[in-house]
Amino acid sequence: MKKTIVLTGATGYIGSHTWCALIEAGYNVIGLDNFCNSSVEVIGRISAITQEKLIFIEGDVRDKSLLDSIFLKNKIDAVIHFAALKAVGESVEKPLTYYDANLNGLLNLCMAMAQHSVKTLVFSSSATVYGDPESVPIKEDSALRTTSPYGQTKLMSEQILRDLEYSDRDWKIGYLRYFNPVGAHESGLIGENPRGVPNNLMPYVAQVAVGKLDKLRIYGGDYPTPDGTGIRDYIHVMDLAEGHVSALSHLLDEGPDNASFTINLGAGRGISVLEVIHAYEKACGRPIPYEIVARRLGDVAAYYADPALAAEILDWRATRGLDIICRDSWRWQNMNPNGI
Ligand code: NAD
Ligand code: WQD
């Protein structure tokens, strides 16, 4: 019997790629999204990729009656909760908007799940909970401290879920701390589709490559790193999506070791901004103009995962290298120069 999963934030960047991976893995999926940061067009794209008729509900994860109706009308086995706001800078300007969306969204979802005895959850956390790490690579037991309201919402969400688990051991929760998701589905039909000027490096480079933006500004060339630019752990979004499938099947497994877990989802390699630029130039066959400017407030020098625990618990590893990341990102950008 196929298991049925509710995917909140289903038409977003990571949600849309995870939807494809879940269908490929044989799950029934009910997608939920309010389109505050994605497009309805994504649904047709996912349908084209999977050749499946999709079940999708437009709505807000804070809408209690909507969630009740979903759980009443369907036998749900688990939820993957992607729906949240994620722009660090914006969260500093609009903290209440972020606390409302990310905390009330989670609280409402968990109350509906509890009410309908659905107690298996995969939660989208973030490596941002580690703040400025004492050392790299970062392990899951590293100190947790974060500086932005967005990062606080992730830290608080984890705490809410740990308290929930402590109160009711029937809950099985996978806390997945993503590093830097990048790239796109190999079809070029879905990918990272930021609104306005991208905050993140990879979509910005992609838009320079396609001519939408004139040049990349590299935030800092004087970091204590081999080439002076910031180092991050870039993980292909399809590796990330497959990590969610592994996490879900582990939690749904009837066996004795289907306990909750907290894992880093990263490639476990540190890549600099200049290395990304050179790899992207190879992928797109054209130069990426850039200028080195002052460091960005809040940035850290180097940041990458120790992914050993994910391999141990889930037998999952990232397999796609920087060349594939840039190739897939470029195909998506070139096929959709104005996004969707
Ligand atoms: P995204 O903005 O592309 O996707 C989030 C989706 O959720 C969007 O489609 C948006 O419309 C939807 N949404 C937001 N609030 C909602 C609400 N209240 N009700 C219903 N739908 C709502 O972001 P993403 O990059 O796919 O991130 C997904 C999750 O992963 C988020 O929780 C984010 O915090 C987390 N995360 C992302 C990154 C990253 O760099 N992309 C890194 C670490 C963690
Ligand atoms: C990567 C590197 C920049 C843009 C962010 C969030 C984090 C998580 C992932 C949600 C850094 C440099 C960037 C540019 C640049 N999101 N850069 N010029 O900051 O590692 O992480 O996304 O959970 O919470 O903080 O990602 O892509 O913004 O930056 O030089 O125009 O690229 O300095 O070294 P970051 P990023």
Side-chain angles (χ1 to χ4, degrees), residues 20-31:
C20 295
L22 285 169
I23 288 176
E24 194 177 319
Y27 288 97
N28 286 326
V29 178
I30 298 173

Side-chain angles (χ1 to χ4, degrees), residues 86 88 126 128 150 179-181 199-202 204 216-219 230-232 234 273 296 299-300:
K86 60 160 183 178
V88 171
S126 166
T128 203
Y150 164 72
F179 279 69
N180 291 62
N199 298 312
N200 295 131
L201 178 69
M202 192 65 78
Y204 200 106
L216 173 72
R217 285 157 191 78
I218 298 181
Y219 297 139
I231 286 177
R232 295 292 184 273
Y234 298 101
V273 176
R296 178 173 64 178
D299 271 358
V300 296

Side-chain angles (χ1 to χ4, degrees), residues 90-158:
E90 185 184 55
S91 78
V92 176
E93 294 158 25
K94 303 175 184 171
L96 292 183
T97 303
Y98 272 68
Y99 285 116
D100 177 27
N102 295 3
L103 295 186
N104 282 333
L106 177 74
L107 288 169
N108 193 53
L109 174 66
C110 289
M111 283 188 267
M113 289 175 71
Q115 196 177 327
H116 297 276
S117 303
V118 177
K119 298 182 179 180
T120 302
L121 173 67
V122 174
F123 174 66
S124 289
S125 191
S126 166
T128 203
V129 300
Y130 296 116
D132 188 353
E134 278 132 22
S135 63
V136 285
I138 301 171
K139 288 181 181 294
E140 288 80 356
D141 61 0
S142 300
L144 301 181
R145 53 183 172 209
T146 180
T147 49
S148 71
Y150 164 72
Q152 288 293 354
T153 69
K154 292 301 181 181
L155 213 43
M156 292 174 180
S157 295
E158 287 198 14

Side-chain angles (χ1 to χ4, degrees), residues 167-185:
S167 73
D168 176 352
R169 291 295 176 192
D170 288 343
W171 280 85
K172 300 279 175 267
I173 300 173
Y175 303 78
L176 307 186
R177 294 173 178 165
Y178 317 153
F179 279 69
N180 291 62
V182 287
H185 190 271

